[in-house]
Amino acid sequence: MKKITFVYDPEITSEKLDELLEMMDPKPDKKLSLDEVSFENLSQDEWLACSLSDFQLRQLLDQAKSREVNVALLPHPEMDQAKKGFGIKTSFETAWQEIQEADEIPEIDLMRVNEELTFNSLVVGTSLGILYSNGAENFFEGVQTRFSQLLNLFRRVKLKPYTITYKNGEEDIKIEIAAMGVLAVAHCESNLIFRRVIEQSGLNDGRIHLLILAPKSIFSLIQFGLQNLFFPIKGGTLPTFVGYISTSEACIHSTETIQFAIDGEEKEEQELKITATEEKVKILPGASIQEKEKSEGPRSINVSKLPTGRLKEELLHSYLPWVRHATAEEFKDLFTLLRTNSQTSSTYLVLMALSTMIASFGLFGDSAPVVIGAMILAPLMGPIISLAMGMLRQDGLLIKNSLITIFWGLIVGLFFSILISLITPLEVLNDQILARIRPNLLDLGIAVASGIAGAYAYSKEEISKTLAGVAISVALVPPLAVAGIGIGWMDQEVFGGAMLLLGTNLAGITMSAALTFLILGFSPFRLAQRGLLISLGILAAIALPLGLSFNKMVNENMIIQDLSGKEIPHGLLREVKVVQIEPLKLSVTILSEDALNENDFKEIKREIEEKIGRTASIELTLGAQLGEPITKAKE
């Protein structure tokens, strides 16, 4: 049967001691001041229930490390790190109750850093405050703490070189990396970040646990911080820039002075040796930690993905960029792909012909699903993205090949759309065609977004290229087909509007794709200036008519809003359409209970002109109620 001895702070007042004893039910078998504890007189079944400061507890454990001692912990005003590290309840009464309910005290791993006993965590690096918050006393304090930690991520960050040597079984593994810092704990459940991303770890598995944070951009760091501070997912997947190591011992060395904190106390060294101790002291952790740390977890995660070699040197060269820059290997792979895509091939021409034919049939049939099918099939994404990279890098050969491929694709598309328009006995401006002959600034926005999607997808292996193909094809194949239809009909307005939209999309996609590649680090700004200026010049020239068209659309919508559904003395206005903006021509339906004559039509025209504040030619449709015939009048 266990015997419990209450060990208290020698500096506690007698009143406070009586208050603590009052909260202990049942009472301890005996009570001792820390100064009165003698390890020689302790029996194996005796438990020391200690309410001590972190400093006093560390003294106690250092004295007892060669003896089999059973230690249980009770909260103390200055026991901050041990309380967090061992999961001890803040409430004295609750912690005492957990001790009473425990049947035995398990053996538990302790961590030493350069032989110094560590209760909670080792934090290497000065920028890792976001990783070692262990909660707050209340909800609002926790939100405030997390928000301030998030703001800290916007600071200028510079990675540092670290050499980490650790044991994997009997094998010693050495990695040389660039990292923001390292976080080490003895138990995953004792730390906020560890318990959210590591599902399994043992209390007595003889291991310490390390998280190595090596972000390649500030954006990825903020994303990780947001996820783990405000939207935590237990057992969530670690991002590739966070490595995890579980080992019996590890050594961290750097060519620079290592700034670190042991249980919040800041220090500096050139090398850190971290070990899981084999001491015989048994410490009773909180019930939550005992329950969750029952099995051994993985030995390592993402270690091979940490920045080493040339990438390490690139990241150490300057401050961490906002957006991850491409590595030499990534650039080489992407450039090889873009050179291939810039070449004209028979497959490309066949797909171009088929997609344009499908789009033309869909346009004549006023079928949106058929047009979408043509968008998916179109192969224009490759040469356009290659053109964007060529302009960015000032690569003459890549620009030339891309332009030739795009040119032949457009020629093939125009040929088949003209052919279909000549053999199709339809010449009606339906909604699908009309939507592509009146481009405005909204279409430019679509083109810019498509270019960003295409460039980003090409730069990331994990993103399907098909998704980017759809985004770019949406903006190109339908207007190309409409332009061919305009030639077949000999309709200059249809052809001109469609070609303006096609040019808008080509310029918008190329410029935004080039800018995206620049941000992702595929070209220095010095080299990219000329290409970007040319793209911006072309885009500005195209944006002028688009702005006029957009202004025209806004004016049309304002007129429709001013009239549609409005009541005038002669009836209710419905189905308002702007047939022509200059000079203004409207088509309006008026619902009236009375028969209207020519004078009434003139009055209606005057009333409408008063509402819109300008003269207009009006085609008026009378919708008479009570079964009376519909009459048309034109003023």
Side-chain angles (χ1 to χ4, degrees):
M1 182 177 177
K2 63 186 178 186
K3 299 177 181 178
I4 301 179
T5 298
F6 175 45
V7 180
Y8 56 89
D9 185 347
E11 298 178 4
I12 194 173
T13 63
S14 57
E15 293 81 3
K16 184 63 178 178
L17 177 60
D18 292 338
E19 182 182 336
L20 294 179
L21 291 171
E22 187 68 26
M23 290 188 285
M24 303 171 80
D25 184 23
K27 302 299 181 186
D29 294 286
K30 59 182 178 180
K31 64 181 190 304
L32 292 174
S33 164
L34 176 63
D35 297 337
E36 300 172 333
V37 175
S38 174
F39 293 105
E40 287 78 7
N41 299 327
L42 294 178
S43 60
Q44 291 186 352
D45 59 352
E46 189 170 355
W47 292 16
L48 300 181
C50 304
S51 176
L52 304 170
S53 68
D54 286 328
F55 176 75
Q56 292 168 336
L57 181 61
R58 192 173 281 109
Q59 285 183 316
L60 176 73
L61 295 178
D62 280 336
Q63 294 174 12
K65 64 182 180 181
S66 60
R67 298 177 174 85
E68 293 187 7
V69 180
N70 299 308
V71 177
L73 301 180
L74 291 166
H76 182 280
E78 297 179 15
M79 181 194 285
D80 184 40
Q81 300 298 328
K83 184 172 65 175
K84 294 174 181 178
F86 297 109
I88 305 304
K89 298 293 184 182
T90 302
S91 167
F92 191 92
E93 293 172 293
T94 304
W96 176 250
Q97 192 61 38
E98 285 190 359
I99 295 174
Q100 296 298 317
E101 294 172 355
D103 295 324
E104 61 178 357
I105 297 182
E107 293 183 358
I108 186 171
D109 295 326
L110 296 175
M111 182 173 72
R112 287 188 178 271
V113 180
N114 290 352
E115 298 302 321
E116 183 176 343
L117 188 61
T118 305
F119 292 142
N120 184 18
S121 64
L122 163 69
V123 181
V124 178
T126 58
S127 305
L128 294 190
I130 191 171
L131 289 183
Y132 56 87
S133 169
N134 284 270
E137 296 297 327
N138 58 67
F139 173 79
F140 294 105
E141 183 183 340
V143 170
Q144 183 180 3
T145 301
R146 293 173 185 178
F147 186 73
S148 63
Q149 291 170 345
L150 183 64
L151 291 179
N152 285 336
L153 293 180
F154 290 85
R155 300 182 304 181
R156 299 181 77 188
V157 176
K158 193 167 186 179
L159 304 189
K160 291 193 174 184
Y162 294 104
T163 300
I164 301 177
T165 306
Y166 65 96
K167 283 191 174 294
N168 186 7
E170 297 298 322
E171 181 185 5
D172 286 336
I173 297 178
K174 179 180 179 181
I175 56 174
E176 296 183 358
I177 60 171
M180 185 177 176
V182 181
L183 174 67
V185 296
H187 318 106
C188 291
E189 280 297 325
S190 68
N191 184 272
L192 175 70
I193 299 299
F194 273 97
R195 66 172 173 260
R196 287 177 176 173
V197 297
I198 305 299
E199 289 190 278
Q200 294 179 315
S201 61
L203 278 175
N204 188 33
D205 54 10
R207 300 190 209 169
I208 51 172
H209 309 272
L210 285 74
L211 276 185
I212 305 166
L213 191 67
K216 300 176 183 66
S217 69
I218 292 178
F219 179 78
S220 60
L221 185 63
I222 293 172
Q223 185 180 19
F224 179 62
L226 279 172
Q227 176 183 340
N228 286 281
L229 286 174
F230 297 99
F231 310 103
I233 300 175
K234 174 63 178 176
T237 304
L238 277 178
T240 55
F241 64 83
V242 179
Y244 167 74
I245 296 173
S246 174
T247 180
S248 59
E249 64 178 69
C251 180
I252 301 176
H253 176 80
S254 178
T255 55
E256 303 177 10
T257 301
I258 299 176
Q259 296 175 309
F260 63 98
I262 297 178
D263 286 346
E265 184 180 350
E266 297 182 358
K267 300 183 179 183
E268 290 185 357
E269 292 286 351
Q270 201 75 30
E271 185 175 273
L272 298 174
K273 185 176 181 180
I274 315 164
T275 57
T277 67
E278 298 180 355
E279 297 168 3
K280 298 180 180 180
V281 177
K282 295 181 179 181
I283 299 178
L284 180 66
S288 60
I289 290 183
Q290 289 188 68
E291 179 183 351
K292 295 176 181 177
E293 296 216 10
K294 293 181 177 179
S295 59
E296 294 187 4
R299 287 282 183 178
S300 65
I301 302 173
N302 289 343
V303 174
S304 62
K305 298 178 181 178
L306 296 174
T308 59
R310 186 167 181 176
L311 176 57
K312 168 194 168 185
E313 299 304 322
E314 291 176 3
L315 290 172
L316 292 175
H317 183 67
S318 60
Y319 286 100
L320 200 64
W322 277 94
V323 180
R324 183 177 72 87
H325 285 186
T327 63
E329 291 79 9
E330 289 174 325
F331 179 79
K332 180 181 177 181
D333 294 341
L334 176 59
F335 213 72
T336 301
L337 176 63
L338 294 182
R339 285 196 180 279
T340 302
N341 288 344
S342 69
Q343 302 292 327
T344 307
S345 66
S346 57
T347 302
Y348 167 79
L349 295 177
V350 169
L351 289 177
M352 198 67 226
L354 292 174
S355 61
T356 310
M357 290 171 64
I358 293 171
S360 299
F361 287 126
L363 289 166
F364 277 115
D366 199 18
S367 173
V370 175
V371 175
I372 292 172
M375 297 170 186
I376 297 173
L377 187 61
L380 280 168
M381 174 179 65
I384 294 175
I385 297 299
S386 298
L387 175 62
M389 180 64 84
M391 294 185 68
L392 187 73
R393 299 282 303 178
Q394 293 295 293
D395 188 315
L397 182 60
L398 189 58
I399 293 173
K400 177 184 175 182
N401 289 338
S402 301
L403 286 174
I404 291 174
T405 301
I406 294 170
F407 171 78
W408 283 115
L410 298 182
I411 292 297
V412 169
L414 284 173
F415 174 79
F416 280 97
S417 59
I418 292 170
L419 181 62
I420 291 172
S421 68
L422 292 175
I423 64 175
T424 303
L426 295 174
E427 194 169 335
V428 180
L429 289 173
N430 57 43
D431 290 341
Q432 287 293 321
I433 295 176
L434 284 172
R436 291 167 176 92
I437 62 174
R438 296 175 180 173
N440 55 62
L441 289 177
L442 297 179
D443 296 294
L444 180 59
I446 295 172
V448 170
S450 298
I452 294 172
Y456 188 76
Y458 258 76
S459 66
K460 306 292 181 181
E461 288 185 2
E462 65 271 21
I463 300 178
S464 171
K465 304 299 186 292
T466 304
L467 296 178
V470 173
I472 293 178
S473 302
V474 164
L476 289 168
V477 174
L480 176 62
V482 172
I485 292 172
I487 296 175
W489 288 352
M490 300 298 290
D491 190 322
Q492 184 177 352
E493 184 178 352
V494 172
F495 173 75
M499 288 303 293
L500 178 59
L501 177 59
L502 182 63
T504 298
N505 293 331
L506 283 171
I509 291 169
T510 303
M511 189 215 68
S512 60
L515 189 60
T516 302
F517 281 137
L518 176 66
I519 293 173
L520 293 175
F522 285 96
S523 174
F525 183 74
R526 167 185 51 80
L527 184 62
Q529 288 183 71
R530 184 179 176 187
L532 289 177
L533 287 174
I534 293 173
S535 298
L536 285 172
I538 296 173
L539 204 62
I542 292 177
L544 181 60
L546 294 179
L548 296 175
S549 179
F550 183 72
N551 185 61
K552 177 181 174 182
M553 185 181 72
V554 171
N555 290 335
E556 290 178 1
N557 286 338
M558 290 177 63
I559 292 172
I560 293 173
Q561 290 175 8
D562 288 341
L563 296 178
S564 186
K566 298 299 171 56
E567 187 85 35
I568 62 175
H570 286 84
L572 182 66
L573 301 179
R574 290 286 180 86
E575 298 180 11
V576 180
K577 295 181 181 178
V578 178
V579 180
Q580 184 176 302
I581 195 72
E582 287 295 341
L584 181 59
K585 183 178 179 181
L586 304 176
S587 173
V588 182
T589 297
I590 183 168
L591 300 182
S592 177
E593 297 180 356
D594 303 320
L596 303 178
N597 54 38
E598 187 174 347
N599 290 331
D600 293 324
F601 294 145
K602 291 180 179 179
E603 286 295 317
I604 292 171
K605 180 177 183 296
R606 183 183 59 79
E607 291 165 3
I608 290 176
E609 289 176 342
E610 285 180 359
K611 277 196 170 291
I612 62 176
R614 57 188 294 190
T615 59
S617 174
I618 301 173
E619 183 181 283
L620 191 64
T621 301
L622 174 60
Q625 298 182 1
L626 303 176
E628 296 183 16
I630 296 176
T631 306
K632 278 196 175 182
K634 187 174 182 181
E635 289 290 341

